[in-house]
Structure formats: structure tokens, C-alpha cells
Amino acid sequence: MSIEDPIETGLASGWQHVDGSTLTEPQHYQVDVVIVGSGAGGGVAAEILTQAGLSVMIIEAGPLKSSNSFNMEERRAYPNLYQQAASMKTKDKAIGIFQGRAVGGSTTVNWTTSIRTPRNALQYWASDKSIAGLSRDELDPWFEKMEQRLNIAKWDYEPNRNNMALRQGCEALGWEYTVIKRNVSGCWNTGYCGMGCPVNAKQSMLVTTIPSALNGGATLLSRVKVAKLEHQGDKITGLQAQALTESLTPSGVAVNVKAKHYLLSAGAIHTPALLMRSQVADPHQLLGKRTFLHPTLLSGAIFNDPINGHAGAPQSIYSDQFVWQDDADGELGYKLEVPPIHPILIASKTLGYGKSHAELMAKFNQLQVTIALVRDGYHPDSQGGQVQLTDHGFSLDYPLSDAFWRAARRAYASMAELQFAAGAQQVLPITEGAPYLSSWQQAKKVISELDLAPLKTIVASAHVMGGCPMGEDPKMAMVNSYGESHYYDNLSVMDGSIFPTSLGANPQLSIYGITARNATHLAQKLQPK
Amino acid sequence: MKRRTFLTTALVGTGALALGVNVYSPPAVNINPALDNPHRLLFSVLLPVILDGAFPTVESHRLAAQTRTLDAIEQTISVLPQDQREELMQLLELLEQRLGLLLLTGNMTPLMMRNPQELAALLERWRGHYLDMMVTAYGGLRDLIMASYYSCPEHWHHLHYDKPKYFES
């Protein structure tokens, strides 16, 4: 069956798109607003600013890929659509990080979970992080606007068996659970959101706001990597970029852009790294620090009936039973969700080798996996990681603190209790030394004695936040609550890097809503009078 | 390739590598062209250990799976970021030199001359090592091989899995 590819159709209709890998001569551009990055922040801002009548250029380091190339295979998706071919890790290699790198950013590959910023996070930001005007009541209209724009609605279909187990466990234990809202339209329920939606049902930036901006006259540069911002006094004066080859290495062709306004939406890690490379003013040494990951633990469970975690909407149920159990800055809480189960993902995020690993893989279709996303950035012993520049790019130094390991142990226990309550025959915490557990009683004892440690415990992240915090107090923030730089008149940041803590929730809708508010404010300031 | 030929190749190859000779001459040692790369030879001795139980047992199928996995490993390495690729190459080169082997394994015997039980014991030592560097080396090789093997649809039958075929005519 053939599915219409809206990107190919758009390109044929005359969109202004330049693939950096085709450039052979230096390029110079002049626009009203140049946006670095095309993910949740850049995509939403591009549409709003274009609709306001501004000339907009979007620069994306990743390639422009579309549904015709999304073949539901990890071996194609990871190198094409993810940062570092989905092999990105923290400096000590203890945490694997999944972050998108293609037009649409992480929205092209995320699992569609859409959650408004939790009130607890927003209250903490207002009380402790000098953030103004972002109460939930003030943000709700923006969330509503983006929910309508991206067709975000509760998943009304039966959850797949993987999510069903999460729901059943919560029901049996009397724990809170919520049916997830998803940004999909005409979803085929295939389960391959993480490899690029093959039927364009996911309302990612790739098929919504970016096409809208391009239809409105915006220009898209793909495979072009921004190297540096030029600045003088309180102004950004230019942007230097490099065209990349098809394999995303610099081709040697320079691209320079002058704009009235510079908007960074390269995401946590890359936005602060770009600002650090540009040596912008940072008198309080905030850039790159307090980068948060929702470091995530995994617990496998073997069920008697088929789970088939590769099929069906990857995430449709979550539980917030343990996220905010203490005060915001108390012991670290964790959100319970499930991931999709695909061959490379599971083979590499489980432990061991040889026969024991092969036996686990042979139970691929009976394997249920629950994940616990730890809410970092609130507790005094949870200060996140730090982006550091290296000769070839950057590294992220993220020490896992004692407070994290206490949360990890509680999380393994909660996940095992939930999985047994849902009918699991065996539970396997994904950490070295953990045996297959056959009862909740056994699990309680074994988990209390597990030797949890970096490199021995599998820790992953799909949510990168912080590193360029917002707030009204320049001592703790690089940009104000509208995302405007405290130091440069014509520089804004709109992406997950502005969050002063993690969210305790999947971030896409928070970025959509806050960017919609802040880009609308920026458009009003810049709009031709 | 018959098992005896493979072992002979491995021994000759290892000797050459350990002496710092990185060029193989396939006609002289009757080497399988699919192994005409020093790192492929190194991986070819690790694959049966790391993928024990997953690799097919029928000889011809096993060799085909090995060749596909070696190709996939090359492909995976080619898309790694520069820093990771350089670290990996450093590790592979150490494992192909006698002094490097001594440093990493406490023994100068080339990996190709060790039997699967000895290789498994080595991996176990790395896996539980008190030095993070050794655990990282284990994890890097393990993840690379696992990801490369399970990236191939031909290896999914072991999982009783296949991707949907909606779009195939």
C-alpha cells in the first residue's frame, strides 16, 4: 500500500529547502529570524513567526527524512534520525541517551506521549527558580491551543498488552494511572513511532508546523550545522554554519546568516553547547550546567501470554503514583511508563551475553518492560549533569548521586510489585547481579540487597532538559521567562534547555505550550508595524 | 569455510597481528575474503562467545550469520561519532597487540588462540572488574555486537518476530 508523503509533495510544490550536502559554494543569507533547530521548539516557533509575516529560516543539522524512508527498522532509523546513531552516552558511559537529529528533531522519533507540565514543577519554578507568568492557569490556554493544533487527545483504543500490564498492576494495587494523550491523527497503531511514523499519523513537527512554515514562505536548511554565533556588545551580529555531507561530516562549505533575531531551538545539550562555543556572556557560569535526563531504570517481566511489545501504540498508560510522593525537593520521585520493545533496543538495554542473553531474547514476545523515569533537578543531591566542550563536540558529565540510587532501588521494587500484581511469572530488574525473581516476596528481599552502580545498572534517557535555564533572576537564569536572553537584545531560546529542572513528565507538550506563548510574544515584538 | 581452515587462518592472522603486521594476504593463507580485515578477524572470535545460543547451529547458516554480523558491525562502526569510533579503534588495536593484550587481559596469548571458555572467562572478568575502563570495554564490545546482530532481519526468527508487511507489495 502506498502512503502519500507530504514532504515529497511539499518539495515538489516549491518549498524553499536547501540540503547542505548539495552545496559547493559558500552561502550568505539575510532574514528576519533565523531558528537553529527544527524540533518541538523550533517547529512551533517557525510556524508562529512565519504566520506573523516575518521571513524565517530554519537550520537543522540533521537530514530531511520523510515517511517514504521510514521502513520500521532500527538499523535505518537510528543512524538517520538520532543523535550519534542512538549511541550517545554520558561521559562515564553510564547513561545512554536517545535524542532526535533530523528535521522535526525528537518529535520525529518520540513515542507521542503528550502531558501538560505538572503543577508541582511549575510551582517549584515560581517559588525557587524566579520564573514568572508560567503558572498552570496561565499556560493552560497555550496547551489547549497546541493540543488542537497537533490533534492531541486521549488514546481511546485498548492499550497494547505491554501498557495493559501497567494498567492491570496499578488497578490491582490501587495505584494512580492515567490514559495518555497522544499527538496522532489516523494512527494505524503499528508501534513504530520511534523509527519515524510510516503513515504520517504522528503529528510531529515534520508533518505539521514545519510544512506550514514552508508553505508560508520560510526557508529550511537541512544538513547544515551551526558552529558559532558572532556577537558584539548586546547584539548577536551573525551566525556561522557549516554544510554537512550526506554522512553528516563537515563538507568545508561555509554558510553565513544575518538576521534581526536569532532563536535557538537546538535542544538541551546543543543549545548550551552552541552558546558555549560562541563564548557569549555568562557571568554566573550557568551554561551547560543543570542538564537533566529523567534517568530511567528498566524492569523486565516474563508473562505466560504474548505481550508483543513491538505492536500497538508504544505508550498509552502512565502512573504518577510515585512522582511527587515527597515534596518537590524531597526524595526523588519516579514516573512509571512502558517502552516499545524492538530487537536492538532490547538486546542492547539488557545484560549479559551468550546463552543467558539468547534465552531472554527468545522470550521477546513474552517480555513486558516497565520503566521508571526519575525526576531529577529538585533535591539538593540531584543537580543534573554538565555539558562540556571537547575537540570534536561535547560531552555530558552526569554523576549519578546517592539520592538517585535510593530512588532507583525504590523504583525497582515498585516495578517488580506492579509486574507481579499484573500477572508476571518472573521479573528481572535490569542491573548486573539481579536474578530472575519469581515472587514479590523474593523481589523485596533481593532488590533491597542489589549492588546498584554506574555501568552495572542500565540507565537510559529519552528526555534531555536544561543547561540554559529561564528565570527572571540572572544569577540563576540565562533567559527570562519569555526565553529572551538576559544579555543580548536579539537572542531567544525556545526548547527544552530552558527548563530549570526536569519536568517529571514527558517533555514535548511542555515545549510546545511554552514555545507557543513565547514565540507569540516574540512575533508581536518583531512584527512589521 | 571448514572449521580447520578457519582456525588455521585465525592462528596465522593472530601471529601477524601480534607482530604488528596488519596486512593479510588472502591467497597465502587461504583466508575467507569476508575476514579480510584485522578487526573482522578479532570480532569473528568474539561473536561465537557473545552470541552463543543465538547463532544458528547449522554450520553454513552459522557462517552466513557471522558474515552478516561482521558486515553489520562495520556498518555500525561507520556511523558512530568520531570520539566513540576512536575509543573503539584504540581498544581493538590493543586487543590485537601483545602488550595491549597483556595490559587488558593479563596474558599475551592472542585472543584467536584462546578457546571459547577462556574468552568467556575473560569477558566475565571485564564485566565485573573494579576498573571502570574494563567494564566500559566489555560493554562497548558487547553492545556493538548485540546491536549489529539484532539489526539484521535475518536474525529475528530466533525472536519469533518480524516487522509488519503493510507496505510491501
Side-chain angles (χ1 to χ4, degrees):
Chain A
M1 177 181 289
S2 164
I3 300 288
E4 190 196 333
D5 185 326
I7 303 304
E8 290 191 354
T9 306
L11 290 170
S13 76
W15 281 352
Q16 295 180 66
H17 167 244
V18 177
D19 178 344
S21 70
T22 65
L23 292 175
T24 53
E25 298 291 328
Q27 304 291 311
H28 299 270
Y29 298 99
Q30 191 137 15
V31 291
D32 289 333
V33 184
V34 59
I35 302 175
V36 182
S38 63
V44 170
E47 179 174 55
I48 289 169
L49 295 168
T50 304
Q51 285 174 348
L54 296 156
S55 65
V56 170
M57 169 172 280
I58 309 155
I59 305 184
E60 168 58 52
L64 174 59
K65 298 285 182 183
S66 56
S67 57
N68 275 350
S69 77
F70 298 157
N71 73 345
M72 299 185 283
E73 289 188 22
E74 293 167 286
R75 64 179 172 177
R76 179 180 291 182
Y78 294 161
N80 276 351
L81 305 176
Y82 285 77
Q83 294 286 351
Q84 302 185 7
S87 69
M88 187 156 72
K89 285 186 161 61
T90 49
K91 190 175 182 179
D92 64 0
K93 302 192 169 45
I95 310 176
I97 302 171
F98 296 95
Q99 191 178 33
R101 185 203 51 191
V103 173
S106 292
T107 74
T108 300
V109 293
N110 72 17
W111 302 337
T112 74
T113 296
S114 305
I115 303 170
R116 295 185 183 191
T117 317
R119 288 179 189 277
N120 309 55
L122 295 170
Q123 284 162 4
Y124 183 79
W125 293 359
S127 65
D128 286 59
K129 296 294 171 189
S130 76
I131 285 177
L134 294 183
S135 70
R136 183 60 181 266
D137 289 347
E138 287 165 300
L139 277 175
D140 273 344
W142 298 103
F143 290 139
E144 276 162 31
K145 176 184 161 78
M146 291 313 300
E147 284 165 356
Q148 283 179 18
R149 172 69 183 93
L150 303 174
N151 212 52
I152 292 171
K154 191 160 82 172
W155 183 243
D156 272 338
Y157 300 88
E158 193 72 349
N160 73 0
R161 184 71 186 84
N162 201 24
N163 282 274
M164 181 104 67
L166 176 55
R167 188 178 77 185
Q168 287 170 338
C170 288
E171 284 171 343
L173 296 165
W175 293 356
E176 184 280 339
Y177 72 88
T178 300
V179 178
I180 286 175
K181 290 182 177 177
R182 307 181 62 222
N183 56 322
V184 293
S185 177
C187 176
W188 285 36
N189 208 10
T190 61
Y192 289 78
C193 312
M195 298 173 216
C197 180
V199 296
N200 299 303
K202 176 164 56 174
Q203 299 298 285
S204 66
M205 300 300 94
L206 176 66
V207 301
T208 58
T209 55
I210 300 279
S212 161
L214 292 172
N215 285 334
T219 301
L220 170 66
L221 308 189
S222 65
R223 289 194 180 114
V224 173
K225 185 174 174 57
V226 178
K228 198 176 171 190
L229 299 177
E230 297 160 344
H231 48 93
Q232 191 164 25
D234 57 5
K235 292 267 187 270
I236 303 295
T237 54
L239 173 157
Q240 298 173 6
Q242 300 165 321
L244 303 179
T245 63
E246 273 193 38
S247 56
L248 301 176
T249 54
S251 66
V253 176
V255 176
N256 291 287
V257 183
K258 300 266 185 206
K260 291 177 186 155
H261 201 90
Y262 297 80
L263 173 52
L264 302 189
S265 301
I269 295 180
H270 292 88
T271 285
L274 172 58
L275 290 168
M276 291 161 77
R277 272 202 306 275
S278 307
Q279 297 183 303
V280 299
D282 179 18
H284 302 288
Q285 298 290 294
L286 299 172
L287 279 174
K289 291 179 182 152
R290 293 183 58 78
T291 295
F292 303 109
L293 295 174
H294 283 159
T296 297
L297 294 315
L298 297 84
S299 182
I302 305 296
F303 280 69
N304 276 342
D305 60 318
I307 296 291
N308 294 327
H310 48 83
Q315 293 192 316
S316 52
I317 303 286
Y318 68 76
S319 172
D320 274 356
Q321 180 72 20
F322 302 100
V323 185
W324 305 99
Q325 217 172 23
D326 269 11
D327 291 340
D329 57 359
E331 284 293 298
L332 278 59
Y334 44 89
K335 189 180 193 75
L336 299 178
E337 297 181 344
V338 308
I341 295 176
H342 295 294
I344 295 179
L345 194 63
I346 289 305
S348 56
K349 293 299 170 203
T350 45
L351 291 162
Y353 58 90
K355 286 202 164 60
S356 65
H357 188 269
E359 283 163 12
L360 176 64
M361 292 303 287
K363 294 172 189 158
F364 186 73
N365 288 332
Q366 271 67 46
L367 183 65
Q368 196 272 341
V369 179
T370 300
I371 54 177
L373 296 77
V374 175
R375 173 176 62 78
D376 51 345
Y378 298 82
H379 187 283
D381 190 24
S382 177
Q383 297 299 310
Q386 182 172 354
V387 177
Q388 298 164 335
L389 299 182
T390 66
D391 288 345
H392 298 131
F394 65 88
S395 68
L396 174 62
D397 185 14
Y398 190 112
L400 290 164
S401 66
D402 289 345
F404 168 78
W405 292 116
R406 290 196 298 275
R409 195 177 303 280
R410 292 195 303 276
Y412 279 130
S414 299
M415 291 191 283
E417 185 176 14
L418 179 132
Q419 288 167 315
F420 281 121
Q425 297 302 299
Q426 291 178 301
V427 167
L428 182 65
I430 309 296
T431 184
E432 288 284 4
Y436 281 95
L437 305 166
S438 52
S439 73
W440 167 227
Q441 285 305 317
Q442 183 200 10
K444 264 196 292 196
K445 181 172 186 322
V446 169
I447 290 170
S448 72
E449 295 166 355
L450 283 174
D451 180 20
L452 305 178
L455 300 176
K456 296 188 185 310
T457 302
I458 296 284
V459 185
S461 166
H463 302 159
V464 194
M465 299 157 282
C468 184
M470 64 175 160
E472 301 308 306
D473 180 356
K475 288 197 194 67
M476 59 174 98
M478 291 297 295
V479 298
N480 68 18
S481 306
Y482 279 111
E484 298 162 331
S485 167
H486 283 306
Y487 306 103
Y488 300 94
D489 291 343
N490 58 344
L491 173 67
S492 299
V493 179
M494 298 184 195
D495 59 22
S497 73
I498 63 173
F499 299 151
T501 63
S502 75
L503 301 170
N506 306 45
Q508 69 165 342
L509 183 52
S510 293
I511 302 173
Y512 295 146
I514 293 172
T515 298
R517 168 193 185 264
N518 292 356
T520 301
H521 175 78
L522 178 64
Q524 286 162 357
K525 280 175 64 173
L526 298 177
Q527 221 158 7
K529 299 284 190 276
Chain B
M1 187 172 56
K2 290 192 177 77
R3 181 164 177 76
R4 196 173 52 194
T5 315
F6 170 72
L7 285 175
T8 310
T9 304
L11 288 172
V12 172
T14 305
L17 281 169
L19 291 169
V21 179
N22 288 321
V23 180
Y24 285 83
S25 172
V29 294
N30 192 26
I31 195 169
N32 179 347
L35 298 178
D36 187 16
N37 173 306
H39 300 321
R40 287 177 77 99
L41 197 54
L42 174 65
F43 281 114
S44 71
V45 298
L46 291 174
L47 293 186
V49 180
I50 289 187
L51 295 171
D52 184 21
F55 251 8
T57 48
V58 176
E59 181 75 352
S60 59
H61 296 178
R62 189 181 62 78
L63 282 172
Q66 175 174 290
T67 301
R68 271 194 302 271
T69 309
L70 291 171
D71 289 344
I73 287 172
E74 279 193 17
Q75 177 60 27
T76 307
I77 291 173
S78 76
V79 299
L80 286 177
Q82 188 174 349
D83 285 346
Q84 279 190 42
R85 195 163 53 236
E86 285 176 4
E87 278 180 17
L88 179 67
M89 288 303 143
Q90 206 176 10
L91 172 64
L92 298 179
E93 281 158 21
L94 280 172
L95 289 174
E96 289 164 349
Q97 296 166 2
R98 285 186 183 274
L99 282 177
L101 275 172
L102 184 63
L103 181 73
L104 290 171
T105 72
N107 184 337
M108 280 208 253
T109 308
L111 296 187
M112 292 75 163
M113 292 177 70
R114 304 187 194 187
N115 65 39
Q117 289 76 22
E118 288 169 332
L119 289 169
L122 170 65
L123 290 171
E124 278 306 297
R125 274 203 302 283
W126 285 6
R127 185 179 175 185
H129 208 280
Y130 66 93
L131 284 177
D132 284 351
M133 182 186 78
M134 308 302 279
V135 185
T136 303
Y138 157 77
L141 289 175
R142 177 214 175 269
D143 287 0
L144 175 63
I145 291 173
M146 288 294 182
S148 301
Y149 180 75
Y150 286 105
S151 73
C152 303
E154 297 89 339
H155 302 158
W156 292 344
H157 59 88
H158 168 64
L159 315 181
H160 314 290
Y161 162 79
D162 203 354
K163 70 173 190 178
K165 303 289 186 195
Y166 309 123
F167 311 114
E168 292 176 15
S169 49

